[in-house]
Amino acid sequence: MEDSIRDASLSAVKVASEIAYSYVSEVRNQRLFPDASALSGLQHFDQPLPAAGTDSQQVLEQLHTYGSPATVATTGGRYFGLVVGGSTPAAMGANIITSAWDQIALMESSSPIANQLEKIAGRWVLELLDLPSEAFVGFVTGTTMAHVSALAAARHYLCQKQGYDLAEQGLHNAPELKVVLSEEVHISVLKALRLLGFGRSQFIFVPCDLQGRIIESAVPEFSDNMILVLQAGNVNSGSSDNFHTLIPKAKKAGCWVHVDGAFGLWARASREKSALVAGIEAADSWAVDAHKWLNTPYDCGMCIVRHKQVLREVMTTSAAYVETQEMWQAKDMLPEFSRRARAVEVWAAIAELGSQGIEALVDRCCLYTKMFAEGLELLGFDVLNDVVLNQVVACLPDIHLQRAMLHKVQQSGECWFGQTTWQGQEAIRLSVSSWATTEDDIQRSLKAISAAIDEIQQQAI
């Protein structure tokens, strides 16, 4: 019996490894988005609930045969849609190893290796981003749950300062808190606030300038019942709020300052770009994704909180079967109880690249973004944002040509980017975030855009 269990696992690992090898070896040659044939192949999965099981090799081969062609090639170099990178080689490999380990990253006794690598990866992240060494770094599914965790701590902290015990008395009679937000705030922040029970009447939206940055003269008078949410890396323009002046004012009034830095916080890792987020280290909490610019596999976000005792008071759990003497166990600091060991991939990516490699990755993506913007201008686009980071927003004077071009490029499979609305104008948005992107990928993508425009214009003659 033991031999058969071992042999089944070994066989599955072997087949899966061969499939993964085959997929990765061809990913740069495949379409960026699946064609109609690949999408129609997905119907092969839609079968009645099986009564009898299927051999694991057949299951995996079915996934490869019909699933692999229907993937979006985000691990290649020409995906510029959502702000995501691919997976670096070590991070991808670590993901495979972590799956084989099947660790429960709950506390040290459930996985010593996960516990150790969370501590080390967290320390490395604080050093890379030049954030306070005393802060806690927690590994969550993404920035949405990072926001939930940090903002829950913020609410607890502000209520506690007003003499109200939220844990004991609940929300019903809690002091009213206000949340000061940019009009360009990311939807993940609003979702997190809704999950925590905040309502729209508690939000104070501040208008933004033409780059999506909070207009400082429009900020309300701060008070000690406020959470100020700032942004590092506007999801369209890539610009950041002025942390250097806004944070000290808010902190002086007793506010909690939280920063949405999903991808923009990684500018701290670059000497060339760190000035864009100067002063951000003075905040109380930060949310950032590893599956964006650090290029780890999904899903991996980080909640970083300066006041870790406050976070612990909100998140701590107690049960006889998980009691422990260690103070900062993941189970007592974060929402999830059943947690995968996602910090292993963060550790692997940082170990593989080093601080110099991560800086080079950020700088390289920013350089390619400028190349994209310059190339688009030569093709007749208006670039609508100051290209300061890894984002380009652009539009053609003819909106019908723009829409047709976007559809044709997406259908071509050469590259992929999407549309957005920026300052009330329909536009295209390109995000350069992958370690795998090369200058050739940028030029090849520009050629695809140029060819689409030429073909549409020729058809119109």
Side-chain angles (χ1 to χ4, degrees):
M1 182 64 175
E2 288 183 1
D3 286 346
S4 64
I5 292 173
R6 182 200 62 200
D7 290 346
S9 295
L10 288 174
S11 174
V13 169
K14 183 176 184 296
V15 172
S17 297
E18 291 170 351
I19 288 172
Y21 184 91
S22 173
Y23 180 83
V24 172
S25 66
E26 293 297 324
V27 72
R28 291 190 67 86
N29 299 321
Q30 78 175 61
R31 294 175 52 89
L32 264 291
F33 194 86
D35 59 16
S37 174
L39 293 174
S40 67
L42 293 175
Q43 66 186 345
H44 290 275
F45 293 108
D46 190 8
Q47 302 295 328
L49 173 68
T54 306
D55 177 73
S56 63
Q57 182 170 337
Q58 289 181 258
V59 171
L60 296 174
E61 288 175 348
Q62 183 182 15
L63 276 174
H64 187 42
T65 301
Y66 302 113
S68 292
T71 59
V72 178
T74 53
T75 53
R78 296 187 304 282
Y79 179 80
F80 310 110
L82 301 176
V83 191
V84 296
S87 293
T88 71
M92 183 183 294
N95 180 264
I96 294 169
I97 292 171
T98 304
S99 295
W101 285 353
D102 194 25
Q103 298 295 280
I104 305 167
L106 178 66
M107 54 191 177
E108 185 175 16
S109 62
S110 66
S111 178
I113 179 60
N115 184 70
Q116 177 74 345
L117 291 185
E118 284 204 10
K119 291 177 181 177
I120 296 169
R123 188 182 77 238
W124 285 356
V125 166
L126 293 177
E127 290 183 36
L128 278 167
L129 303 180
D130 194 19
L131 296 178
S133 60
E134 73 272 15
F136 173 80
V137 180
F139 296 88
V140 291
T141 52
T143 50
T144 301
M145 288 314 298
H147 294 322
V148 168
S149 305
L151 293 170
R155 180 176 62 187
H156 178 74
Y157 176 81
L158 293 177
C159 287
Q160 196 175 57
K161 285 208 307 181
Q162 297 186 45
Y164 187 84
D165 187 342
L166 195 62
E168 179 66 28
Q169 297 170 271
L171 287 173
H172 183 63
N173 293 310
E176 184 180 11
L177 302 180
K178 295 291 186 180
V179 185
V180 180
L181 304 154
S182 158
E183 285 186 345
E184 289 284 334
V185 66
H186 193 268
I187 52 173
S188 61
V189 175
L190 298 177
K191 184 171 186 176
L193 288 166
R194 288 198 301 269
L195 288 171
L196 290 170
F198 285 91
R200 292 188 184 91
S201 66
Q202 295 173 272
F203 301 160
I204 302 173
F205 289 102
V206 182
C208 297
D209 64 17
L210 294 179
Q211 298 304 316
R213 299 170 298 216
I214 280 181
I215 297 173
E216 293 178 51
S217 61
V219 173
E221 184 177 351
F222 293 123
S223 65
D224 62 1
N225 71 333
M226 285 182 174
I227 300 170
L228 171 63
V229 180
L230 299 176
Q231 189 173 56
N234 180 284
V235 73
N236 281 301
S237 72
S239 291
S240 297
D241 293 326
N242 189 344
F243 309 109
H244 189 69
T245 57
L246 285 170
I247 294 178
K249 290 178 183 177
K251 295 295 290 292
K252 185 177 180 180
C255 291
W256 178 291
V257 181
H258 175 65
V259 176
D260 173 12
F263 67 94
L265 194 55
W266 289 107
R268 298 278 288 184
S270 164
R271 283 167 291 184
E272 183 180 329
K273 297 297 179 180
S274 60
L276 297 172
V277 287
I280 204 170
E281 69 279 357
D284 296 290
S285 57
W286 306 261
V288 62
D289 276 328
H291 59 232
K292 286 186 167 60
W293 228 339
L294 189 58
N295 282 219
T296 68
Y298 266 87
D299 52 8
C300 188
M302 288 173 283
C303 168
I304 307 174
V305 178
R306 179 192 299 271
H307 313 283
K308 56 187 179 183
Q309 178 58 38
V310 176
L311 182 63
R312 188 178 192 277
E313 289 170 4
V314 174
M315 297 292 174
T316 191
T317 53
S318 180
Y321 63 96
V322 290
E323 289 307 316
T324 175
Q325 297 300 312
E326 189 172 340
M327 186 70 168
W328 310 112
Q329 298 279 10
K331 74 177 185 67
D332 295 320
M333 303 298 290
L334 299 164
E336 295 171 294
F337 209 65
S338 299
R339 302 174 68 246
R340 76 176 189 90
R342 55 178 63 88
V344 177
E345 296 144 27
V346 176
W347 175 87
I350 298 174
E352 175 186 22
L353 295 172
S355 60
Q356 293 177 355
I358 293 169
E359 179 178 28
L361 168 61
V362 171
D363 291 345
R364 187 168 66 248
C365 287
C366 293
L367 175 64
Y368 292 157
T369 304
K370 283 190 175 291
M371 287 183 182
F372 238 139
E374 291 166 1
L376 289 171
E377 287 181 327
L378 291 174
L379 293 176
F381 285 82
D382 294 320
V383 174
L384 304 180
N385 66 314
D386 294 339
V387 182
V388 295
L389 209 59
N390 64 326
Q391 304 290 98
V392 181
V393 182
C395 68
L396 286 168
D398 184 341
I399 189 63
H400 300 291
L401 175 60
Q402 178 177 295
R403 290 170 180 168
M405 175 279 302
L406 178 62
H407 177 74
K408 188 168 286 291
V409 171
Q410 289 177 343
Q411 291 300 308
S412 75
E414 272 291 278
C415 64
W416 203 98
F417 51 90
Q419 71 175 40
T420 189
T421 300
W422 177 242
Q423 306 292 346
Q425 189 167 359
E426 188 174 324
I428 61 170
R429 187 194 74 155
L430 301 101
S431 305
V432 185
S433 310
S434 177
W435 73 277
T437 298
T438 65
E439 183 175 350
D440 181 66
D441 288 318
I442 302 301
Q443 297 305 325
R444 183 170 167 178
S445 299
L446 287 168
K447 286 179 182 177
I449 295 169
S450 177
I453 292 172
D454 289 345
E455 184 176 344
I456 295 162
Q457 290 177 329
Q458 286 296 321
Q459 290 173 349
I461 296 175

